[in-house]
Amino acid sequence: MIKNASKLILLIFFLLGALAYSQEKKKFSSIHNILRGIVPNNKTDFWVLLYNTYGKDQEINVSGSKKEYIPQSSGFNLFPNEDSFYYIAYSSGGKMNYVTDLNGLKTFIGKIDNIEEAAIAATIEGYLVDEEFKDVAGNYYEDSSNYYLDLGKLTSKECPYQKKHYTLTINKPTGAITNVKDNGAYIELYNKKCPNNPRLLKIEKKEEPKDEPKKSSRSTQRK
């Protein structure tokens, strides 16, 4: 009886340990590696992921027998950057095709096969993997049913410039976002011209002129 009880206790500790390990948050290493995790929806003879920065192409991932492709002048981005972009060149049925926007990327990925594709799908919906703030907006864990991603979102380009972070639950079988938890702002930047700058409002309040005491109008009479 005691032996069976000991085995049961050990089994419980093992299951709890396995559950804790499965829910340990892992950080996304880089945007490059997220995109390397793409599994194309349709059969391709060859595909290549390219990163263009300052007008120069760099092949990030090559799959299949390499074929000639035409360099593209525009593409998509998973993190706002005016100086660079990604694009995909791929051959299917002997025809060369190109993915240069997020809608095309969504079609190319199709069904979500892994955590990287889950992150890309969330990006297409307006979220982002913030490489500067991975602790709050660039990590994930998963279980047998769902992917759980902590991602950022640019919520205001005006005063103040603001980013918020969210926890997204993405269902593995369907690829649908089933829950979004708002964790609040993690960046909030004000400049001097922001009309709602709290620091500026405090200074203005402090510098308000005080009312001067009124002088007495009473006059003295000589006897």
Side-chain angles (χ1 to χ4, degrees):
M1 185 77 176
I2 294 172
K3 194 174 182 181
N4 289 335
S6 299
K7 284 183 178 178
L8 182 62
I9 291 167
L10 285 171
L11 179 62
I12 290 168
F13 275 107
F14 174 78
L15 290 172
L16 287 172
L19 182 63
Y21 176 78
S22 67
Q23 293 191 348
E24 182 184 352
K25 290 186 178 183
K26 299 175 184 178
K27 294 177 184 177
F28 288 109
S29 58
S30 67
I31 301 297
H32 279 12
N33 284 333
I34 291 171
L35 288 166
R36 283 191 182 106
I38 290 174
V39 179
N41 189 45
N42 297 320
K43 188 177 178 181
T44 58
D45 309 316
F46 151 77
W47 72 277
V48 57
L49 169 69
L50 296 112
Y51 178 62
N52 182 292
T53 178
Y54 296 104
K56 293 182 179 180
D57 280 345
Q58 178 187 353
E59 293 182 350
I60 302 301
N61 193 65
V62 180
S63 179
S65 301
K66 196 169 181 180
K67 293 177 172 54
E68 293 295 322
Y69 58 86
I70 301 170
Q72 302 295 295
S73 59
S74 63
F76 58 85
N77 226 319
L78 299 190
F79 187 86
N81 192 326
E82 294 178 2
D83 300 319
S84 66
F85 60 85
Y86 296 89
Y87 69 93
I88 293 170
Y90 69 97
S91 173
S92 179
K95 183 185 176 183
M96 190 60 69
N97 303 277
Y98 299 91
V99 176
T100 58
D101 58 32
L102 291 177
N103 286 330
L105 182 61
K106 187 175 183 178
T107 303
F108 187 73
I109 290 170
K111 180 182 175 293
I112 292 174
D113 299 293
N114 52 42
I115 189 66
E116 289 81 11
E117 289 194 344
I120 294 167
T123 299
I124 292 168
E125 297 300 320
Y127 298 92
L128 59 91
V129 175
D130 198 332
E131 292 188 286
E132 291 184 274
F133 298 91
K134 289 180 184 177
D135 287 339
V136 294
N139 59 73
Y140 66 91
Y141 68 92
E142 60 183 286
D143 57 28
S144 59
S145 304
N146 300 300
Y147 299 112
Y148 305 91
L149 298 90
D150 287 340
L151 301 176
K153 195 172 194 179
L154 181 61
T155 51
S156 174
K157 290 184 180 180
E158 304 300 325
C159 288
Y161 173 88
Q162 185 187 68
K163 287 181 187 176
K164 296 177 84 172
H165 58 126
Y166 300 82
T167 301
L168 276 64
T169 302
I170 298 181
N171 183 263
K172 283 185 174 180
T174 65
I177 298 173
T178 57
N179 188 55
V180 177
K181 181 187 173 188
D182 186 342
N183 298 316
Y186 67 97
I187 287 181
E188 209 165 49
L189 299 177
Y190 295 84
N191 61 42
K192 290 181 180 179
K193 294 180 180 179
C194 279
N196 54 345
N197 186 335
R199 188 177 177 186
L200 191 63
L201 290 172
K202 283 181 183 179
I203 293 170
E204 286 176 352
K205 194 172 182 181
K206 200 173 182 180
E207 291 179 351
E208 280 181 6
K210 294 179 180 179
D211 293 333
E212 293 182 8
K214 292 181 180 179
K215 293 181 180 179
S216 174
S217 59
R218 187 178 173 184
S219 58
T220 56
Q221 292 181 351
R222 290 183 181 179
K223 292 184 180 178

